[in-house]
């Protein structure tokens, strides 16, 4: 395992209109790890087809952690956010050896980040390949369930997953990935369609309920938009039609989510009015008004958006009310997703000054973070080793 600086803290926000706002350690490289799982799913659907891939896995949350080898009652991965979901994808790519599979996945990741070429961290890859037993157990179980066609695919698929999980990105890169999903496949900078609308919609819908491990329910109540956490301390969030956000801070809580990243995301949600299931300007605290206290004692400031008129446009049903619109579905079941309009950049730059404030205020939460981590299972004695790929 490779050590990381536990006090790193970077915040990056990319709007669907192509404007990037970042503060702190947003340019520091880290291995993408489990955040690559939705990317793998999107690539596999583009390659193998939507029906084939979604038939291989469910869309339900699991009480098991990210790297659990537990499958659902049908013998399939619970959802695309789990390691099992990603491994079932890489194991069915008809692309030959591990290098070929990785190069195809890496090229797709390049397209999503807009980087010239993301790089493999060979040291992390060696650690995963040599010592990561849980993904090997998962792949073996998938093979036994006939989800992986051969031992060859099992071995080369597993290695290609290790390689992609060991690829270096930074918070800015991950925010761009999130913004591409938020734009339902439209890249925020190039304006090219990276994936079909239905693929991005599936990722957004499943991540809304499954992306934050065992903390997913609390996340949706208190933060209120899709997100994917990784045990490296990064969280990628998606606000459909609005932006992608990445917060990176290595110290983890009892759910193996980043302590400061969760706090920062909650503050962004509240201050910018990003909660998808709450009225604009309403605090994200249940049953309370603006200025009320969170469970940890900090104060919500509340967000607001400008008023708008009713209209219908865009792909699928789009209804604009009070500066927001609703649209979306989960496997054919209509759901209401509250977001901002697609017609203009939804977050004015004047509001993004909050990022600098968050950088300053959350630097002061070091003691709280240490307290939470030290009391968490498996993180005693201040051991903040960079545990790669959720292992």
């Amino acid at each position: 395992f490779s050590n990381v600086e536990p006090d790193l803290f970077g915040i990056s926000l990319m709007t669907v209109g192509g404007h990037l706002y970042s503060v702190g350690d947003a340019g520091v490289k880290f291995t993408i790890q489990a955040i690559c799982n939705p990317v793998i799913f999107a690539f596999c659907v583009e390659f193998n087809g939507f029906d084939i891939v979604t038939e291989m896995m469910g869309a339900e949350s699991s009480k098991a952690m990210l790297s659990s080898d537990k499958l659902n009652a049908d013998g399939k991965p619970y959802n695309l956010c789990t390691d099992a979901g990603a491994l079932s994808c890489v194991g069915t790519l008809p692309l030959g050896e591990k290098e070929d599979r990785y190069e195809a996945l890496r090229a797709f990741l390049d397209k999503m980040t807009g980087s010239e070429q993301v790089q493999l961290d060979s040291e992390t890859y060696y650690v995963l390949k040599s010592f990561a037993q849980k993904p090997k157990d998962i792949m073996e179980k998938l093979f036994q369930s006939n989800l992986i066609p051969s031992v060859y695919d099992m071995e080369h698929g597993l290695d290609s997953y290790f390689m992609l999980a060991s690829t270096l990105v930074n918070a800015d890169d991950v925010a761009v990935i999130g913004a591409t999903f938020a734009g339902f496949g439209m890249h925020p900078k190039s304006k090219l369609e990276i994936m079909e609308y239905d693929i991005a919609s599936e990722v957004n819908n499943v991540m809304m309920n499954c992306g934050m491990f065992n903390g997913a329910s609390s996340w949706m109540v208190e933060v209120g938009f899709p997100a994917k956490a990784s045990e490296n301390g990064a969280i990628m969030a998606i606000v459909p039609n609005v932006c992608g956000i990445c917060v990176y801070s290595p110290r983890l809580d009892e759910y193996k989510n980043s302590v400061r990243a969760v706090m920062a995301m909650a503050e962004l949600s509240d201050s910018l009015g990003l909660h998808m299931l709450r009225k604009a300007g309403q605090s994200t605290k249940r049953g309370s008004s603006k200025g009320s206290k969170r469970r940890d004692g900090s104060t919500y400031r509340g967000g607001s958006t400008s008023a708008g008129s009713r209209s219908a446009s865009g792909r699928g049903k789009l209804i604009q009310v009070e500066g927001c619109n609703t649209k979306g579905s989960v496997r054919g079941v209509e759901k209401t997703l509250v977001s901002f309009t697609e017609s203009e950049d939804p977050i004015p730059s004047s509001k993004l000054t909050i990022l600098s404030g968050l950088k300053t205020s959350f630097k002061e939460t070091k003691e709280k973070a240490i307290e939470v981590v030290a009391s968490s299972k498996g993180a005693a004695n201040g051991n903040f080793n960079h545990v790669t790929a959720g292992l």
Side-chain angles (χ1 to χ4, degrees), residues 46-80:
E46 286 280 352
F47 201 92
N48 287 338
F50 190 87
D51 292 340
I52 291 175
V53 176
T54 53
E55 181 62 28
M56 293 193 307
M57 64 187 73
E60 298 294 331
S61 183
S62 166
K63 292 183 179 180
M65 294 301 287
L66 164 75
S67 55
S68 171
D69 63 353
K70 292 183 179 179
L71 303 178
N72 66 17
D74 297 323
K76 301 177 182 180
Y78 278 93
N79 58 72
L80 64 88

Side-chain angles (χ1 to χ4, degrees), residues 217-293:
S217 296
S218 296
W219 175 270
M220 279 310 301
V221 170
E222 297 182 3
V223 182
F225 43 71
K228 178 71 183 81
S230 178
E231 292 178 6
N232 61 0
I235 296 178
M236 175 180 72
I238 298 165
V239 187
N241 296 324
V242 181
C243 65
I245 308 171
C246 178
V247 182
Y248 174 60
S249 181
R251 299 182 189 272
L252 309 180
D253 63 18
E254 66 270 26
Y255 298 120
K256 297 190 176 180
N257 296 325
S258 168
V259 174
R260 284 187 287 185
V262 170
M263 295 170 69
M265 290 286 191
E267 189 67 27
L268 285 169
S269 174
D270 201 51
S271 297
L272 298 177
L274 299 178
H275 198 296
M276 294 167 56
L277 302 177
R278 291 191 183 276
K279 186 177 179 180
Q282 190 69 37
S283 171
T284 54
K285 173 68 175 178
R286 285 181 291 179
S288 62
S289 58
K290 289 188 290 184
S292 60
K293 297 290 183 179

